[in-house]
């Protein structure tokens, strides 16, 4: 499989773009090699500039639940373009989408559109601090909430201690106002609240952690976290940027049977275009300017083309709900991948799946219930083995996200034939993944 044109383009890109890419994981640093430059995509497939075709299981990291260039979404975008593509003024599309969401997500009485999940999280945390008069935010190790300074932190040396910067340019003072707790550990969270509860403005969490592997949590763990937050007067911010509308109209909040104070959305609500949103109770959202003193603005917020794509996507999800079929296909595919590995005598391969998300875990683990639920349970061999698997699959026409810690996504555009091709490629690639 030739990649000569991609290699030449990457060399050009590195001269004018940091690392040659506009988001780090695209550079293939986690797997090695040269990133493929994509020429076009349609349905379940992408074609690169060298003419290679791939079944795409990255799906732009989640938003394309109906696949590339879904005809209904495309028609909505083309109609919006015929009227204009940026106004910098009030318009009807964002009103319709806001009404659609607030009438279907009980926790969201009002919301504000932004351009990304990072903006949504940053703004929601600002509201939480203003409304509570507190300074600290509690997050969980292995959960990613965008690249706002206060979220680019890592745990300290002690259990659930004050965080340290996880990026150059983030000051220790900023990091000191974020607390980091381990996933799947009620005692650690309780201890942290016992020591810092009066300072914590909000607990932010991915109800389905999917940014450092797919790390499904026990419902009992999340419910204990919610109870502690309520007890100590801390707000709950649910980061549903990935899970929102991907697992159902009600997202993970509905699955867990909880109602957060604030919610952040992204990905699916833009149908593949740049859209984010944060919302919650009216009493909290009215802290936001121009009604309240919390400032947040954006020149391209609620861009009419992106809003049209999001509204078409959500309406289609409601009129033709794909969730049960997607979950069945994803679970079936995950089971089949594990069986192929077992047939080859490799019992160290597991595939974790929730809804239409999946994650291939490579290496021996020792977990109590056979599910990897925290960063510390990820096998030491996983990263190196995944890099080998990734390239073996790429050579066989299967594109996964180029990192062993990113999850895969199925869309309604994926067919039985696509899944069968993936299984055949995986079977052949397992030898390469095992390594020397």
């Amino acid at each position: 499989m030739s990649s000569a044109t991609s290699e030449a383009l990457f060399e050009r890109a590195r001269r004018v773009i940091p690392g040659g890419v506009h988001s780090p994981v695209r550079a293939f640093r986690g797997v090695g090699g040269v990133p493929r430059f994509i020429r076009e995509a349609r349905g379940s497939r992408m074609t690169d500039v060298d003419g290679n075709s791939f079944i795409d299981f990255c799906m732009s990291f989640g938003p394309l639940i109906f696949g590339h260039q879904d005809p209904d979404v495309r028609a909505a975008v083309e109609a919006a373009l015929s009227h204009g593509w940026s106004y910098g003024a009030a318009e009807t599309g964002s009103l319709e989408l806001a009404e659609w969401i607030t009438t279907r997500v009980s926790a969201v009485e009002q919301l504000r559109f932004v351009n990304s999940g990072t903006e949504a999280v940053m703004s929601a945390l600002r509201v939480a601090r203003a409304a509570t008069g507190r300074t600290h935010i509690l997050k969980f190790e292995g959960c990613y909430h965008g690249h706002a300074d206060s979220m680019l932190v890592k745990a300290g040396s002690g259990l659930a201690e004050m965080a340290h910067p996880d990026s150059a340019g983030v000051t220790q003072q900023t990091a000191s106002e974020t607390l980091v707790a381990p996933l799947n550990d009620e005692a650690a969270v309780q201890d942290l609240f016992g020591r810092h509860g009066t300072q914590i403005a909000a607990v932010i969490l991915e109800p389905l952690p999917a940014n450092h592997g797919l790390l499904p949590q026990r419902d009992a763990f999340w419910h204990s976290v919610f109870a502690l937050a309520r007890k100590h007067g801390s707000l709950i911010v649910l980061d549903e940027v990935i899970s929102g509308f991907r697992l159902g109209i009600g997202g993970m909040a509905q699955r867990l049977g909880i109602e957060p104070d604030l919610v952040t959305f992204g990905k699916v609500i833009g149908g593949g275009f740049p859209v984010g949103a944060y919302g919650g109770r009216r009493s909290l959202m009215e802290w936001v300017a121009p009604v309240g003193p919390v400032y947040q603005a954006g020149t391209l917020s609620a861009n009419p083309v992106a809003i049209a794509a999001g509204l078409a996507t959500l309406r289609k999800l409601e009129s033709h709900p794909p969730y049960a079929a997607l979950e069945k296909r994803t679970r079936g595919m995950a089971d089949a991948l594990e069986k192929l590995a077992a047939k080859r005598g490799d019992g160290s391969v597991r595939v974790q799946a929730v809804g239409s998300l999946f994650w291939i875990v490579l290496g021996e683990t020792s977990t109590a219930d056979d599910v990897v639920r925290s960063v510390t349970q990820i096998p030491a061999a996983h990263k190196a083995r995944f890099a080998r698997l990734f390239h073996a699959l790429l050579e066989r026409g299967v594109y996964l996200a180029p990192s062993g810690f990113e999850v895969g996504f199925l869309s309604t555009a994926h067919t039985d034939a696509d899944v069968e091709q993936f299984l055949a490629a995986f079977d052949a690639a397992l030898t390469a993944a095992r390594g020397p």
Side-chain angles (χ1 to χ4, degrees):
M1 181 179 285
S2 172
S3 60
T5 309
S6 280
E7 291 173 19
L9 289 171
F10 190 47
E11 184 62 30
R12 282 175 55 192
R14 286 189 293 178
R15 298 190 192 111
V16 293
I17 304 165
V21 293
H22 298 286
S23 189
V25 73
R26 301 178 194 175
F28 277 37
R29 290 289 295 274
V31 294
V34 174
R36 300 302 191 265
F37 279 64
I38 303 304
R39 184 181 70 205
E40 61 182 357
R42 188 179 300 275
S44 64
R45 292 183 174 265
M46 298 192 300
T47 303
D48 70 12
V49 290
D50 290 284
N52 302 308
S53 177
F54 306 98
I55 304 171
D56 180 15
F57 289 101
C58 176
M59 283 287 136
S60 193
F61 297 92
L64 302 175
I65 194 167
F66 292 119
H68 295 280
Q69 293 201 56
D70 174 72
D72 296 311
V73 177
R74 179 171 180 151
V77 168
E78 289 174 345
L81 279 169
S82 71
H83 297 291
W85 46 85
S86 186
Y87 306 132
E91 36 62 50
T92 59
S94 60
L95 171 59
E96 289 183 57
L97 185 50
E99 288 176 336
W100 194 98
I101 293 173
T102 56
T103 55
R104 288 159 178 83
V105 181
S106 60
V108 179
E109 294 178 338
Q110 288 191 333
L111 81 162
R112 171 69 64 82
F113 289 111
V114 291
N115 292 292
S116 68
T118 292
E119 279 189 64
V121 166
M122 177 183 71
S123 304
L125 296 183
R126 187 177 298 161
V127 170
R129 285 188 165 113
T132 62
R134 298 178 180 185
T135 55
H136 286 55
I137 304 296
L138 167 63
K139 71 180 290 287
F140 289 86
E141 184 181 14
C143 292
Y144 176 72
H145 304 288
H147 58 269
D149 282 8
S150 63
M151 294 292 99
L152 284 180
V153 297
K154 58 186 176 181
S157 57
L159 184 64
E161 265 297 347
M162 294 287 186
H164 296 303
D166 200 26
S167 168
V170 176
T171 66
Q172 182 60 56
Q173 181 178 352
T174 297
S176 70
E177 293 184 342
T178 302
L179 304 161
V180 182
L183 289 167
N184 197 39
D185 189 338
E186 287 93 335
V189 180
Q190 186 168 8
D191 177 64
L192 188 149
F193 266 105
R195 289 183 287 125
H196 303 287
T198 59
Q199 298 171 291
I200 299 173
V203 180
I204 185 168
L205 56 93
E206 283 185 277
L208 179 61
N211 277 290
H212 199 113
L214 185 64
L215 306 174
Q217 298 300 293
R218 295 172 290 109
D219 287 2
F221 173 66
W222 283 143
H223 284 291
S224 72
V225 172
F226 302 149
L228 283 166
R230 297 294 186 220
K231 177 182 177 181
H232 291 271
S234 305
L235 300 180
I236 296 167
V237 180
L238 218 58
D239 183 343
E240 295 238 44
V241 168
I242 289 179
S243 55
F245 305 103
R246 168 62 76 165
L247 299 175
I249 298 298
M252 276 297 292
Q254 186 175 58
R255 286 194 175 207
L256 290 169
I258 60 98
E259 192 150 301
D261 300 295
L262 293 164
V263 189
T264 61
F265 295 117
K267 297 190 185 290
V268 170
I269 70 162
F273 285 78
V275 181
Y278 65 103
R281 296 197 311 272
R282 183 181 303 273
S283 60
L284 289 172
M285 292 303 294
E286 287 186 344
W287 279 85
V288 180
V291 181
V294 174
Y295 192 74
Q296 179 269 310
T299 299
L300 296 176
S301 293
N303 174 268
V305 179
I307 291 293
L311 189 56
T313 298
L314 295 187
R315 283 174 170 167
K316 187 169 180 175
L317 285 171
E318 185 173 55
S319 63
H320 298 84
Y323 300 112
L326 277 175
E327 185 154 14
K328 182 179 179 181
R329 173 169 280 167
T330 306
R331 182 68 267 166
M333 185 183 79
D335 291 343
L337 291 169
E338 288 184 348
K339 287 176 182 176
L340 283 172
K343 186 177 178 181
R344 284 181 167 268
D346 191 346
S348 67
V349 176
R350 76 180 68 211
V351 184
Q352 303 196 162
V354 179
S356 53
L357 288 71
F358 70 94
W359 179 49
I360 300 170
V361 190
L362 303 165
E364 298 291 344
T365 61
S366 55
T367 60
D369 56 2
D370 205 37
V371 178
V372 176
R373 300 191 189 277
S374 69
V375 173
T376 57
Q377 294 174 335
I378 298 174
H382 172 74
K383 182 178 180 180
R385 287 189 63 183
F386 179 83
R388 295 191 291 267
L389 177 70
F390 172 85
H391 284 287
L393 288 172
L394 195 68
E395 287 296 314
R396 292 164 175 81
V398 174
Y399 189 90
L400 300 178
S403 166
F405 304 100
E406 296 287 349
V407 303
F409 298 89
L410 259 69
S411 74
T412 61
H414 287 100
T415 65
D416 290 340
D418 290 332
V419 172
E420 289 302 318
Q421 184 177 333
F422 182 20
L423 294 176
F426 185 79
D427 192 21
L430 278 170
T431 300
R434 193 173 297 167

